[in-house]
């Protein structure tokens, strides 16, 4: 009994001493600013190796979910010879579609990953699928001419009905044609597909009277912000491929015409939709634009800034509209940066903190901000930390299988907050996979080409390599060690 009492006393006294000791921690005796913060997502500077590991996990997953194989839909047996293709032949179904616009984004992201890492697995992923489409299209065209009954995923390659069918896949194929890995000419089989896509985009897609890409849903003559990305980058890249000025001019014109309707200057964001005939002040274009409803959907703003990056990547330095497009990107970057959540993500509706944190938009912004820093279009000190925080959020959304979580499913256009706020999320939403790989590739380039370091526990970017996490500066601003 006596031993029990002694043990209880020791426990009590130890707790009391611990309390007294805790009370003794104060600003005089403890560097409180060095206390470890409890971040919800990782914070700091990731290694290139950790970024690549996340990208590899995603690549492994999508490789399994997008088989580059033909099958007979009646028997399920694999079709290995082109001469055996018939009306019942289709692409083997996996989790994602090889010819969708989401997968056009994925092809571009994976090609970018190959350029940055040199890992042949990335190049091979795109090459196999592009080549399969190039090989099979002539056979399916003949079948389609006879009975109009073929796999819809193949039909959209040579008979696109919308920008969604054409633009993103076309742009990825042009990039493949332009890549250094095409020096042996293997990708040249893609050129007829590219030309057919471009013919649709330039000559057949529905437009407003001034030539701006538009749709007939949900209202007649609706401009969707999504169509900046679906239509403009392939036109700009066609300029790079052919050297023809008309493509550069059309891409720049489309950017400025979208901006004239969709850009909201006071918020530095783009509205998702604009409807012709929804007039508020017909006599004053600026007032009309400002009075219109503006729903700042995250992924659509991602398509917009990604379009600006894609166009600036190929638009000649001497082009008359280049300066205006660059200024638009810089303003958009500022608007996005100020709305980043402290856990690194962006919200489904960018200006509504009560909407969920969404991964695909976050991945697109991460790529675009990192890319703009690497290109020198925006300041590394201001936006480098934003991009790295974005990557930390993105990689936290990639599960062990390589699936990307918290991605908004395909979304129409609306004029109320509930529609956007309650859009479902799903790991099989294809929109997240290309942006995640693209963001990872550019993050590796950011870590390789820029100079981030921790200073007072915060991520900072410097103009030169700093061999310490606590650089000290002279009065003239130069680093001393």
């Amino acid at each position: 009994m006596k031993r029990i009492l002694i043990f209880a006393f020791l426990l009590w006294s130890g707790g009391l001493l611990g309390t007294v000791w805790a009370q003794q921690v104060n600003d005089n005796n403890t560097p409180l600013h060095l206390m470890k913060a409890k971040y919800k997502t990782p914070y700091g500077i990731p290694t290139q190796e950790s970024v690549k590991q996340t990208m590899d996990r995603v690549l492994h997953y999508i490789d399994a979910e997008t088989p580059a194989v033909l099958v007979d839909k009646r028997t399920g047996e694999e079709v290995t010879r082109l001469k055996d293709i018939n009306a019942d032949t289709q692409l083997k179904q996996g989790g994602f579609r090889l010819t969708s616009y989401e997968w056009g984004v994925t092809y571009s992201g994976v090609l970018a990953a190959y350029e940055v890492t040199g890992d042949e697995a990335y190049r091979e992923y795109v090459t196999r699928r592009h080549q399969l489409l190039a090989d099979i299209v002539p056979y399916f065209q003949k079948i389609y001419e006879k009975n109009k009954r073929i796999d819809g995923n193949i039909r959209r390659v040579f008979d696109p009905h919308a920008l969604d069918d054409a633009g993103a896949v076309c742009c990825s194929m042009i990039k493949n044609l332009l890549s250094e890995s095409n020096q042996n000419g293997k990708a040249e089989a893609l050129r007829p597909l590219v030309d057919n896509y471009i013919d649709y985009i330039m000559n057949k897609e529905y437009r407003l009277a001034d030539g701006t890409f538009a749709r007939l849903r949900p209202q007649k003559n609706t401009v969707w912000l999504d169509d900046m990305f679906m239509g403009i980058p392939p036109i700009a890249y066609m300029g790079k491929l052919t050297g023809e000025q008309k493509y550069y001019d059309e891409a720049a014109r489309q950017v400025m015409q979208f901006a004239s309707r969709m850009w909201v200057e006071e918020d530095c964001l783009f509205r998702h939709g604009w409807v012709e005939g929804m007039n508020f002040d017909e006599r004053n274009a600026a007032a009309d634009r400002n009075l219109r409803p503006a729903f700042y959907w995250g992924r659509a703003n991602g398509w917009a800034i990604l379009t600006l990056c894609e166009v600036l990547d190929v638009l000649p330095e001497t082009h008359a509209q280049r300066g205006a497009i660059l200024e638009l990107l810089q303003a958009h970057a500022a608007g996005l940066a100020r709305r980043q959540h402290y856990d690194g993500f962006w919200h489904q509706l960018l200006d509504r903190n009560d909407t969920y944190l969404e991964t695909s938009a976050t991945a697109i912004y991460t790529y675009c901000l990192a890319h703009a820093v690497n290109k020198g279009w925006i300041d590394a000190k201001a936006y480098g930390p934003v991009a790295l925080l974005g990557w930390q959020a993105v990689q936290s959304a990639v599960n062990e299988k390589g699936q990307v979580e918290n991605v908004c499913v395909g979304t129409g256009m609306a004029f109320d907050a509930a529609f956007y706020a309650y859009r479902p999320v799903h790991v099989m939403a294809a929109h997240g996979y290309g942006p995640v790989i693209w963001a990872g590739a550019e993050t590796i380039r950011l870590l390789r080409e820029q100079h981030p370091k921790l200073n007072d526990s915060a991520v900072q970017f410097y103009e030169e390599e700093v061999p310490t996490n606590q650089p000290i500066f002279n009065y003239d601003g130069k680093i001393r060690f």
Side-chain angles (χ1 to χ4, degrees):
M1 183 66 178
K2 185 180 293 185
R3 290 181 179 180
I4 295 174
L5 290 173
I6 293 171
F7 183 70
F9 174 79
L10 290 174
L11 284 176
W12 174 83
S13 62
L16 180 62
L17 287 173
T19 301
V20 172
W21 173 251
Q23 291 173 345
Q24 290 176 347
V25 173
N26 57 49
D27 188 52
N28 281 318
N29 62 26
T30 305
L32 299 176
H33 67 286
L34 295 180
M35 291 178 66
K36 190 173 182 180
K38 296 180 180 180
Y39 295 106
K40 193 171 181 180
T41 55
Y43 182 80
I45 302 168
T47 64
Q48 295 181 42
E49 292 74 20
S50 71
V51 177
K52 177 68 161 46
Q53 288 170 4
T54 299
M55 294 164 58
D56 288 348
R57 199 157 68 247
V58 175
L59 180 67
H60 179 76
Y61 174 72
I62 63 172
D63 189 38
E65 288 289 344
T66 51
V69 174
L70 295 174
V71 295
D72 188 310
K73 68 180 180 182
R74 297 167 301 179
T75 65
E77 293 181 359
E78 188 172 330
V79 177
T80 58
R81 299 185 302 179
L82 294 175
K83 68 178 184 178
D84 292 334
I85 290 174
N86 58 58
D88 292 305
T89 305
Q90 65 181 20
L91 291 167
K92 185 176 181 179
Q93 295 183 356
F96 308 105
R97 297 167 294 162
L98 294 185
T99 61
S100 68
Y101 76 82
E102 300 97 331
W103 234 244
V105 178
T106 301
Y107 294 139
S108 285
V110 174
L111 285 172
Y114 170 67
E115 290 178 5
V116 172
T117 67
D119 187 338
E120 288 290 331
Y122 288 87
R123 183 189 62 79
E124 176 64 17
Y125 177 86
V126 178
T127 298
R128 284 186 61 209
R129 287 153 182 82
H130 277 178
Q131 191 62 51
L132 174 65
L133 297 178
D135 289 343
I136 66 177
V137 158
Y139 294 88
F140 279 98
Q141 280 181 306
K142 292 178 181 179
I143 296 171
Y144 187 66
E145 289 169 2
K146 290 181 179 179
N147 58 22
K148 301 292 181 181
R149 185 173 67 86
I150 63 168
D151 181 1
N153 286 322
I154 300 172
R155 188 273 307 157
R156 67 163 55 94
V157 177
F158 61 85
D159 184 32
H161 293 174
L163 287 178
D164 285 1
D165 292 345
V169 174
C170 176
C171 196
S172 74
M173 289 182 174
I174 297 174
K175 291 175 181 177
N176 201 341
L177 284 165
L178 291 169
S179 68
E180 291 183 6
S181 61
N182 185 42
Q183 290 180 353
N184 56 15
K186 281 188 176 181
E188 293 305 317
L190 299 176
R191 185 58 189 267
L193 277 62
V194 166
D195 290 340
N196 185 65
Y197 278 135
I198 288 294
D199 178 60
Y200 176 84
I201 295 168
M202 292 288 287
N203 303 314
K204 299 174 183 177
E205 172 62 19
Y206 186 77
R207 300 177 183 228
L208 300 181
D210 68 355
T212 305
F213 294 132
R215 306 190 192 193
L216 293 172
R217 64 181 177 91
Q219 305 283 345
K220 181 181 179 181
N221 291 349
T222 299
V223 179
W224 294 52
L225 188 59
D226 315 54
D227 286 342
M228 281 186 73
F229 179 75
M230 304 307 161
I232 299 175
I235 297 174
Y237 269 85
M238 197 66 178
K240 178 76 170 178
L241 182 66
T242 65
E244 294 185 44
Q245 185 68 26
K246 68 177 183 179
Y247 293 112
Y248 292 133
D249 291 344
E250 174 64 8
R253 182 173 76 97
Q254 287 285 342
V255 168
M256 301 315 297
Q257 289 179 181
F258 268 86
S260 72
R261 295 174 170 89
M262 318 296 274
W263 178 247
V264 183
E265 188 171 359
E266 59 266 31
D267 290 329
C268 290
L269 296 172
F270 287 92
R271 57 169 52 87
H272 185 204
W274 180 97
V275 177
E276 188 174 74
M278 189 186 282
N279 293 317
F280 293 88
D281 190 340
E282 294 181 348
R283 297 166 298 177
N284 185 327
D288 182 82
R289 184 166 60 250
N290 291 334
L291 289 170
R292 284 174 178 269
F295 290 90
Y296 303 130
W297 180 38
R299 189 158 66 229
N301 271 265
W303 297 140
I305 193 169
L306 183 54
T307 298
L308 300 179
C309 287
E310 293 276 82
V311 171
L312 288 169
D313 275 343
V314 295
L315 196 67
E317 293 287 339
T318 56
H319 195 278
Q321 295 296 333
R322 184 178 176 86
I325 295 172
L326 178 57
E327 289 179 4
L328 188 60
L329 178 138
Q330 291 167 338
H332 199 193
L336 293 172
R338 72 177 66 123
R339 289 172 174 84
Q340 186 179 33
H341 187 270
Y342 50 74
D343 285 332
F345 292 94
W346 276 264
H347 290 274
Q348 166 77 340
L349 284 173
L350 295 172
D351 61 335
R352 294 290 298 265
N353 293 343
D354 54 350
T355 60
Y356 61 81
L357 300 173
E358 201 276 332
T359 303
S360 67
T362 299
I364 298 171
Y365 301 155
T366 297
Y367 165 75
C368 292
L369 294 175
H371 187 65
V373 166
N374 288 331
K375 287 286 188 176
W377 299 333
I378 58 177
D379 188 82
K381 297 184 188 70
Y383 295 100
V386 178
L388 283 188
L389 183 59
W391 172 254
Q392 299 281 25
V394 168
Q395 62 85 26
S396 75
V398 178
N399 65 29
E400 288 302 313
K401 292 181 179 179
Q403 297 172 318
V404 181
E405 299 178 341
N406 300 320
V407 175
C408 177
V409 300
T411 297
M413 194 269 288
F415 290 103
D416 63 82
F419 172 79
Y420 295 99
Y422 286 98
R423 293 303 291 158
V425 298
H426 203 283
V427 293
M428 298 311 294
H431 311 74
Y433 290 87
V436 166
I437 291 178
W438 218 342
E442 201 65 29
T443 298
I444 289 175
R445 195 190 303 275
L446 188 76
L447 294 168
R448 187 181 296 165
E449 298 183 1
Q450 306 299 326
H451 309 291
K453 286 290 181 181
L454 289 177
N455 191 332
D456 280 343
S457 302
V459 174
Q460 302 285 347
F461 275 63
Y462 296 97
E463 294 178 1
E464 59 186 88
E465 185 58 33
V466 180
T468 174
N469 279 335
Q470 296 291 343
I472 300 173
F473 294 86
N474 292 321
Y475 290 111
D476 62 1
K478 296 181 179 179
I479 296 175
R480 61 185 174 87
F481 308 113

